Amino acid sequence: MTTTPEPRRIEYGAGPAQFAELHLPAGDPHGVVVVVHGGFWRAQYDLSLGTPLAVDLARRGWAAWNIEYRRVGSGPGGGGGVPETFDDVAAAVDALRGTDLDLSTVVAVGHSAGGHLAAWAASRTRDERWAGGVELTAVVSQAGVLDLRRAVREGVGGTAVPDLLGTDADPGAVDAAYDPQQQLPLDVPLWCVHGRDDDVVPINQSEEYVAAATAAGARAELVAVDGDHFVVIDPDGPAWAEVVGILDGLG
């Protein structure tokens, strides 16, 4: 097994949740993968969910940037929502400029709510609030929440989306900047890797996103895999092998 250096914690802000862990390979990286953990944007879930993936990516020759961000709720990881969660994800990606990494290939890989944030990060530089930031070159959404309006209608995550947006109503025009489905078409390719039996974030989130994206002229692909919501983040499983295969074609 390839030995990699110990991960390095790098703070991009003063808050307790404003940091990332940089996992480096033994040699020159193929590129950078921004790992965005899930947990329905809630404070009780943290970047430890992404650590096994970051470790595996570094062993495979990637620089893995496992980011933390403020989430909804109280405690050290809390204080998130609109716009804090999004400000943090943008700042975390942009903090890559403070490293000596080659940023010609920067791919975001995110699970569940992290898939939402990864897709959002690929469109955020269109908004003047986040313009001029590090540009992603591709996105892999793992069972991502890509349509916030549909998620509210179908009760995905219970009240997770309204809690994130700070509204009791369905996401409206003011929320379009935070909703990947309303930011189509992306300028970079996006893959949706999603379990067919996912009962946490239904696969229709990925199916409908890919259909709308391709109709809008974007490059998007659905990779349906056997299993539930969590098979895509098992570094020893075949669903993760699909993600690795996608990355191999990019790095």
Side-chain angles (χ1 to χ4, degrees):
M1 183 177 296
T2 302
T3 301
T4 59
E6 287 296 312
R8 180 158 53 105
R9 175 181 168 124
I10 298 175
E11 296 177 354
Y12 63 83
Q18 294 175 314
F19 69 95
E21 292 179 348
L22 178 60
H23 297 250
L24 291 173
D28 292 335
H30 304 317
V32 181
V33 177
V34 180
V35 178
V36 192
H37 74 82
F40 282 125
W41 312 278
R42 290 179 172 136
Q44 62 262 46
Y45 303 103
D46 63 20
L47 87 171
S48 63
L49 292 171
T51 299
L53 306 186
V55 169
D56 188 69
L57 288 166
R59 289 173 179 166
R60 295 177 184 275
W62 291 87
W65 185 239
N66 188 21
I67 68 170
E68 190 56 281
Y69 51 89
R70 284 174 287 180
R71 287 92 69 206
V72 177
S74 58
V82 171
E84 292 83 5
T85 294
F86 299 88
D87 287 340
D88 282 4
V89 171
V93 175
D94 292 344
L96 286 167
R97 286 183 173 147
T99 70
D100 58 0
L101 295 170
D102 180 351
L103 302 184
S104 56
T105 299
V106 182
V107 184
V109 174
H111 175 239
S112 194
H116 159 262
L117 293 170
W120 170 82
S123 67
R124 52 107 183 186
T125 54
R126 300 171 181 172
D127 192 303
E128 63 180 10
R129 289 173 289 180
W130 304 291
V134 170
E135 299 278 0
L136 299 180
T137 55
V139 176
V140 181
S141 168
Q142 304 170 285
V145 185
L146 300 177
D147 185 341
L148 298 186
R149 294 174 296 184
R150 182 169 190 152
V152 170
R153 291 196 303 270
E154 297 183 354
V156 175
T159 63
V161 173
D163 291 345
L164 173 71
L165 299 176
T167 177
D168 294 329
D170 287 356
V174 71
D175 304 306
Y178 308 112
D179 187 359
Q181 188 79 17
Q182 297 183 70
Q183 291 297 313
L184 292 172
L186 282 183
D187 300 323
V188 300
L190 184 146
W191 286 263
C192 292
V193 182
H194 212 128
R196 296 183 179 91
D197 300 320
D198 193 332
D199 60 1
V200 178
V201 177
I203 196 172
N204 63 28
Q205 282 279 325
S206 290
E207 291 171 336
E208 295 302 321
Y209 179 89
V210 169
T214 54
R219 182 182 174 189
E221 182 177 338
L222 174 67
V223 181
V225 296
D226 292 333
D228 61 11
H229 187 61
F230 300 101
V231 295
V232 291
I233 56 170
D234 175 4
D236 297 319
W240 177 245
E242 294 282 356
V243 176
V244 170
I246 294 166
L247 294 173
D248 285 344
L250 297 172

